[in-house]
Amino acid sequence: MQSRYFTINDHPQGAPARALFELRETALPALAEGEVRVRNTWLSVDPYMRGRMSGVTTYIEPFELGAPLEGAAIGEVIETRDAAFPVGTRVRHMGGWRDIAQFPGSRLEPLPAFEVPEQAYLGVLGMPGMTAWTGLNRIAGMQEGDNVLVSGAAGAVGSLAVQLAKAKGGTVVGIAGSQDKLDWLESHGVKAVSYKGKDAAQLTEALRKACPEGFDVYYENVGGVCLEAALNTLRVGARIAVCGMIARYNEATPSAGPGNLAMLLIRRARMEGFIVFDHWAHYPTFLEEIGPRVESGQLDYEETVEAGLERTPDAFLKLFEGANRGKMLVRL
Amino acid sequence: MQSRYFTINDHPQGAPARALFELRETALPALAEGEVRVRNTWLSVDPYMRGRMSGVTTYIEPFELGAPLEGAAIGEVIETRDAAFPVGTRVRHMGGWRDIAQFPGSRLEPLPAFEVPEQAYLGVLGMPGMTAWTGLNRIAGMQEGDNVLVSGAAGAVGSLAVQLAKAKGGTVVGIAGSQDKLDWLESHGVKAVSYKGKDAAQLTEALRKACPEGFDVYYENVGGVCLEAALNTLRVGARIAVCGMIARYNEATPSAGPGNLAMLLIRRARMEGFIVFDHWAHYPTFLEEIGPRVESGQLDYEETVEAGLERTPDAFLKLFEGANRGKMLVRL
């Protein structure tokens, strides 16, 4: 059987070009004992993948040039030599960026049993959802009534973070770009602030207007002016969970950081970076808490879907244009 | 009785000039019930006082133009209407920058009973010592065997931080400027690295050479290139205690921050600002632990002393030239 997959032909500096990505094809060998073959139905593209394209080890191994890229995916077992995964089993695994994946069964997870569309396990009930929950609860230690600021607030992670924050009370403010994202935030009881066309001073002003008391928690997805403005609006004892800094991922040479880091001192604030994979032991707790709320419709989530394996690089590149609302997915 | 005191005649932008400080004299009123008059013997000057000169409230009220400046001081009670403080009692209080202070007794502390020179209660056993101890233990959560980096490592706070870190094992590296400071560090088993003439890349290189494994704890007194280089040399799970950023205190407009804050994410590191006054309830624990080690000579401390009230502003300004080793004091 053939497997079509994407690879990269270089380590990009700055914003990756579409031509970086090459679609290749390979003949899969016969299944070895314990192996499983999966036909993927949904692929995830996520901002963190940009880091793996740079050819340096950060918190995760870099992608190898010429080899299939990796990423979360959902699929169905079509051939098996692992009794734990009979044909027809719906699974999640890291063999994305391809149509057919072949692995030892140990690298697959059966999908949990909530009554939700299966692609939810790539988004609200998958890594992005777990990231939102971990950052708010385990890193920022959000308390009942805290005022919470979220950047990238209409993205896959941010859109869940604002809803989880809202459910615990306090003023919740989300920073986003386009009007439809701002509208989505407002329709969920979140005060929406646009960063578009604003420098740090202007964004600071807008945040102060939205929440004059200041913030106890800042959920950081973006970096750049969002971080600088957020630092200006912290309350004493504030906690910043640094989930990502998408504004910087495509920089060829890093731009300077915020000039107001001393606000950490003035506000006795804490800023902490985290990687959700370090916290994966808590995924069952997350599922137990959040799964029923997604099933019942209490937690809303959005998807932006591209169709067809060929569109996977395009879906990925759109993440950096802010073109997605909610989780960016590829449907095969 | 007359009291001579220093005040400031303006809110400085950038580095304060000597002419900012004016020596004035006032006739003290007769003691009210509960008040005490103190002849100061030692005055403390500290970097944090620069923040109080800027006319804005940060974590502490700004100094008032024309009013006596404030700061820690040691003195002897010379007249009293508070039975708790008989004449001759040695006390510590915040009525520094003057020769004679007059206060309600409630604003005085009797000196603890360790056999140390009384000015030690302004340095190694006072606010700077408590700051070093709090940052390492309560903020950075230093563990046995941690590798520790300290900037401003030969200053009042840093010189104690390196020794406390050294006593718990691991590689301890101190960043300082002048050769005599570097020598002092090396003589205490601390690997000394000069920041002089180095950009962030060069300082990073020097830190990597001093401690190839990287640091579990960074005790931040300085900011600027020290912070940028430190961020490059963190281990996974590192903690940064932000005690001060003296490199920035005299900036008229804040310079940009480090371009590599994303290292917090890559290393899952935590950066936390603190103000020692928030932790003062733990001062007795600190004294109990550190007092005997100072008394026995096990912990070394240095002093840089200026003589005479008139020299107080000069002593203060020298802090920003890196001219002091250990605690900067004025002896009256």
Side-chain angles (χ1 to χ4, degrees):
Chain A
M1 183 175 250
Q2 298 295 108
S3 171
R4 295 193 308 146
Y5 63 91
F6 273 99
T7 187
I8 50 173
N9 53 34
D10 198 4
H11 297 302
Q13 295 265 321
R18 179 63 181 78
L20 176 76
F21 299 90
E22 280 183 24
L23 186 58
R24 295 193 188 171
E25 191 158 357
T26 187
L28 296 170
L31 283 187
E33 181 56 34
E35 280 193 336
V36 173
R37 194 168 283 170
V38 176
R39 183 185 306 281
N40 285 333
T41 48
W42 293 90
L43 307 179
S44 178
V45 289
D46 301 280
Y48 82 89
M49 295 170 172
R50 175 64 186 83
R52 298 192 69 182
M53 294 177 185
S54 297
V56 292
T57 299
T58 54
Y59 53 86
I60 191 170
E61 290 297 303
F63 287 135
E64 198 184 321
L65 301 186
L69 297 175
E70 293 172 2
I74 301 281
E76 182 181 351
V77 174
I78 54 171
E79 204 182 325
T80 186
R81 292 189 66 189
D82 180 339
F85 293 97
V87 168
T89 311
R90 315 297 293 192
V91 293
R92 181 173 59 188
H93 58 87
M94 288 301 287
W97 292 86
R98 72 196 82 177
D99 53 4
I100 308 289
Q102 182 166 319
F103 285 135
S106 58
R107 290 169 63 183
L108 305 176
E109 294 171 275
L111 295 188
F114 295 104
E115 299 215 349
V116 297
E118 64 182 5
Q119 71 273 22
Y121 295 108
L122 294 179
V124 65
L125 291 180
M127 187 271 283
M130 174 69 183
T131 301
W133 180 86
T134 300
L136 268 188
N137 294 295
R138 293 179 46 80
I139 306 298
M142 187 197 164
Q143 302 296 312
E144 200 78 30
D146 275 354
N147 295 341
V148 177
L149 175 65
V150 178
S151 60
V157 173
S159 60
L160 187 61
V162 291
Q163 292 180 82
L164 294 180
K166 195 71 204 162
K168 275 193 175 177
T171 301
V172 179
V173 177
I175 304 174
S178 64
Q179 191 56 48
D180 65 324
K181 290 181 176 182
L182 300 169
D183 291 345
W184 181 88
L185 289 166
E186 293 281 356
S187 74
H188 287 75
V190 175
K191 294 195 184 184
V193 169
S194 173
Y195 68 84
K196 284 271 171 82
K198 294 197 177 84
D199 63 19
Q202 291 164 325
L203 186 53
T204 300
E205 202 48 51
L207 294 178
R208 286 204 176 117
K209 214 171 135 189
C211 184
E213 287 179 304
F215 299 99
D216 303 288
V217 168
Y218 173 45
Y219 195 108
E220 165 68 308
N221 286 306
V222 173
V225 292
C226 292
L227 176 57
E228 185 166 347
L231 283 165
N232 286 334
T233 55
L234 298 180
R235 299 178 85 175
V236 168
R239 290 88 60 201
I240 302 177
V242 183
C243 166
M245 292 190 172
I246 197 171
R248 315 185 69 102
Y249 293 176
N250 282 334
E251 292 177 349
T253 52
S255 61
N260 60 346
L261 266 185
M263 292 306 296
L264 291 180
L265 186 58
I266 293 169
R267 300 287 185 246
R268 294 84 125 182
R270 189 179 80 202
M271 182 167 173
E272 183 167 352
F274 74 103
I275 306 295
V276 70
F277 303 112
D278 291 345
H279 300 264
W280 210 256
H282 298 271
Y283 181 65
T285 311
F286 157 78
L287 264 190
E288 203 174 300
E289 184 182 329
I290 305 302
R293 291 161 68 182
V294 175
E295 215 170 24
S296 69
Q298 201 186 332
L299 276 174
D300 188 23
Y301 61 99
E302 304 262 319
E303 293 169 350
T304 303
V305 178
E306 294 280 327
L309 178 65
E310 295 74 8
R311 299 283 303 158
T312 312
D314 308 273
F316 173 72
L317 294 174
K318 281 187 177 177
L319 291 170
F320 301 93
E321 297 158 13
N324 59 306
R325 207 167 70 212
K327 181 71 189 103
M328 180 66 97
L329 294 164
V330 179
R331 188 179 58 229
L332 301 190
Chain B
M1 182 176 251
Q2 298 296 107
S3 170
R4 295 193 308 146
Y5 64 90
F6 273 99
T7 187
I8 49 175
N9 52 35
D10 198 3
H11 297 302
Q13 294 267 321
R18 179 62 181 79
L20 176 76
F21 299 90
E22 280 183 24
L23 186 58
R24 296 193 187 170
E25 192 159 355
T26 186
L28 296 170
L31 284 188
E33 181 57 33
E35 280 192 335
V36 172
R37 193 169 283 171
V38 177
R39 182 185 305 281
N40 286 334
T41 48
W42 293 91
L43 307 180
S44 178
V45 289
D46 302 279
Y48 82 89
M49 294 168 172
R50 175 65 186 82
R52 298 192 70 183
M53 294 176 186
S54 296
V56 291
T57 298
T58 55
Y59 54 84
I60 190 168
E61 290 296 304
F63 288 134
E64 198 183 321
L65 301 185
L69 297 175
E70 293 172 2
I74 301 281
E76 183 182 349
V77 173
I78 53 170
E79 203 181 325
T80 185
R81 291 189 67 189
D82 180 339
F85 293 98
V87 168
T89 311
R90 315 297 292 192
V91 293
R92 181 173 59 188
H93 58 88
M94 289 301 287
W97 293 86
R98 72 196 82 176
D99 54 4
I100 308 289
Q102 182 167 321
F103 285 135
S106 59
R107 290 169 63 182
L108 306 175
E109 293 171 276
L111 295 188
F114 295 104
E115 298 215 350
V116 295
E118 65 180 5
Q119 72 273 22
Y121 295 109
L122 294 179
V124 64
L125 291 180
M127 187 272 282
M130 174 71 182
T131 302
W133 180 87
T134 299
L136 268 188
N137 295 295
R138 292 179 47 80
I139 306 299
M142 186 196 164
Q143 302 297 312
E144 201 77 30
D146 275 353
N147 295 340
V148 178
L149 175 65
V150 179
S151 60
V157 173
S159 61
L160 186 61
V162 291
Q163 291 180 81
L164 293 180
K166 194 71 204 163
K168 274 193 176 178
T171 300
V172 180
V173 177
I175 303 175
S178 64
Q179 192 55 50
D180 66 324
K181 289 179 177 183
L182 300 169
D183 293 343
W184 182 88
L185 288 165
E186 293 282 355
S187 74
H188 286 74
V190 175
K191 293 195 184 182
V193 170
S194 174
Y195 67 83
K196 283 272 171 82
K198 294 197 177 83
D199 63 18
Q202 292 164 327
L203 186 54
T204 299
E205 203 48 50
L207 295 179
R208 285 203 176 119
K209 215 170 134 187
C211 183
E213 287 178 306
F215 299 100
D216 303 287
V217 167
Y218 172 45
Y219 195 108
E220 165 68 308
N221 286 305
V222 173
V225 291
C226 293
L227 175 58
E228 186 166 348
L231 283 165
N232 287 334
T233 56
L234 299 179
R235 299 177 84 175
V236 168
R239 290 86 62 200
I240 302 176
V242 183
C243 166
M245 293 190 170
I246 196 172
R248 315 182 70 101
Y249 292 176
N250 283 333
E251 293 177 347
T253 52
S255 60
N260 61 345
L261 266 185
M263 292 305 297
L264 290 180
L265 187 57
I266 293 170
R267 301 288 185 246
R268 294 83 125 184
R270 190 180 80 203
M271 182 167 173
E272 183 167 351
F274 73 102
I275 305 296
V276 71
F277 303 112
D278 290 345
H279 300 264
W280 210 254
H282 299 271
Y283 182 64
T285 311
F286 158 78
L287 263 190
E288 203 174 301
E289 185 183 327
I290 305 302
R293 291 161 69 181
V294 174
E295 213 169 25
S296 70
Q298 201 187 333
L299 276 175
D300 188 23
Y301 61 100
E302 305 261 320
E303 293 168 349
T304 303
V305 177
E306 295 279 328
L309 178 66
E310 294 75 6
R311 299 284 302 159
T312 311
D314 308 273
F316 173 71
L317 294 173
K318 280 187 178 178
L319 291 170
F320 300 93
E321 298 158 12
N324 58 307
R325 207 165 71 212
K327 181 71 188 103
M328 181 65 97
L329 294 165
V330 179
R331 188 179 56 228
L332 301 191

